[in-house]
Structures are given as C-alpha cells and as structure tokens.
Amino acid sequence: MAASRPGKFMGSSFLEMIAQPSVTTDLGDRILKVNHAGEHGAVNIYGGQIFMARLTAPGMLSELEEFRSHECGHRAIFAAELLRRQRPRCRSYWLCGFGGRVLGLMTGLLGANAIAATTVAVESVVLRHLQQQLVSLQGSDPSAIAAISAIIAEEQLHHDHSASHVQTGTFWPRILTPIVTASTEAVIWLGMRS
C-alpha cells in the first residue's frame, strides 16, 4: 500500500501540474515567433509599397514610411522577447519577408486604393489574432501578453487610418480584400504549426 501512495502522488495530476507551464510557455513561444515573422512580413509589405508609391501614390509616402517605422518597432519587440527566452525565430520568417515584399510591390503598383485596401485586410486579420492570443495567454504568460499588448494601438491606427482612404465599392478593394485576408490567415495558420 505504501508504494502505491507515492505512485498516486506522482500520478497524472502531478505530471499535468508540472507540464502545464511548459505547454503554456510553448504556446507563448509559438505565438511570439509567428508574430515576429508576421511583423517582418509587414515591414516588407510597406517597403514594397513605398518603392512603388513613389510613382503611383506619392501622397501616401509619409504615412507608409510612418507605418513601416511602427512595424520595425513591433518586429524589434518580438525579437527582443524571443532573444530573452532564447528561442529561434520562426521557420517562416524569410518566407513572410519575401511574400510581404511581393505583396507590397504588387499592391503599390496598383495605387492608393489598393495600398489602403491591403492594409485594412491585413490589419483586420492581425488585430483579430492579437485579441485571440491575449485571451489564450491570459494568466499564463505575462511577458508574451506585454509584447502583444505593446503593438495593438499602432496596428489599430494602421487599420483605421487606411480604412479612411479606401473607396468602397471600387474594384481593388473587392478583389484584394478576400485574397489578402485568406493569405494572411494561411500564413498565421502555417506559422503556428511549424
């Protein structure tokens, strides 16, 4: 009988108690890695749009440069937290950068309405995921929550400011919104599984 008591103590509830922080930390680590890669993609989207907007939407250049500056800061926040945790960046980091650059160049070529519609589509998905991440990590990973919370206001600013530029009912928003939304969702989904 005495032998069964220690086994009972070391049973599943004790092991679950020990494993729980690791599982939670793993979730926080995965979220931070994906967010870091996503911010790298956003930096490159704006970089591509800035390059093309010199020709197609020069009136948007200062706004795009400001948004890119914010995204560089967001990427740095996640990079610092990953470094603190001694975690590598997401395997999708370079893919996000390349895909972001291509998306930025293409939508920048299409002009101001396409640029604004792209930002609204991307930021709508990003903001929804950031809110879901905060709920998932509540009470378990305060450092990840702090990193995520630090970027929400600027992401909301990008969304709202760009939404004010979108001419609803026009061609590019109708075409780009579902494509960019689905692509952004797919990148996040894939990143969380890598």
Side-chain angles (χ1 to χ4, degrees):
M1 278 290 179
S4 69
R5 285 188 190 258
K8 185 98 167 150
F9 178 72
M10 294 298 285
S12 64
S13 63
F14 178 75
L15 294 176
E16 288 170 0
M17 184 175 71
I18 290 173
Q20 187 60 35
S22 173
V23 169
T24 304
T25 301
D26 287 347
L27 176 61
D29 290 350
R30 275 197 329 264
I31 286 171
L32 291 168
K33 289 166 100 173
V34 169
N35 289 359
H36 177 242
E39 296 302 326
H40 184 59
V43 167
N44 281 280
I45 290 171
Y46 287 122
Q49 288 176 337
I50 288 166
F51 182 80
M52 296 309 291
R54 289 185 178 101
L55 300 172
T56 63
M60 293 186 80
L61 282 172
S62 64
E63 178 179 303
L64 293 171
E65 288 166 353
E66 179 185 359
F67 290 178
R68 182 178 59 181
S69 166
H70 293 164
E71 301 295 357
C72 287
H74 302 170
R75 182 177 61 184
I77 288 168
F78 293 124
E81 184 58 23
L82 288 173
L83 182 63
R84 188 187 72 75
R85 293 168 182 244
Q86 299 179 336
R87 296 289 183 257
R89 65 178 158 226
C90 189
R91 286 183 232 160
S92 67
Y93 182 84
W94 295 113
L95 179 62
C96 287
F98 177 75
R101 184 60 56 133
V102 170
L103 180 62
L105 289 169
M106 289 174 41
T107 57
L109 180 64
L110 300 175
N113 205 27
I115 291 169
T118 299
T119 300
V120 171
V122 170
E123 296 295 8
S124 293
V125 172
V126 168
L127 286 164
R128 185 172 63 256
H129 278 277
L130 293 175
Q131 293 300 332
Q132 290 169 349
Q133 291 168 1
L134 291 175
V135 170
S136 297
L137 295 170
Q138 194 60 44
S140 62
D141 196 333
S143 298
I145 289 172
I148 294 164
S149 297
I151 73 165
I152 289 177
E154 287 178 340
E155 300 290 6
Q156 188 70 55
L157 171 76
H158 301 173
H159 174 277
D160 296 348
H161 209 336
S162 297
S164 72
H165 295 309
V166 174
Q167 298 168 7
T168 55
T170 57
F171 182 73
W172 289 124
R174 281 188 312 214
I175 298 299
L176 288 172
T177 298
I179 294 169
V180 172
T181 298
S183 300
T184 306
E185 289 282 3
V187 167
I188 293 169
W189 184 84
L190 287 169
M192 286 300 290
R193 273 135 194 89
S194 64

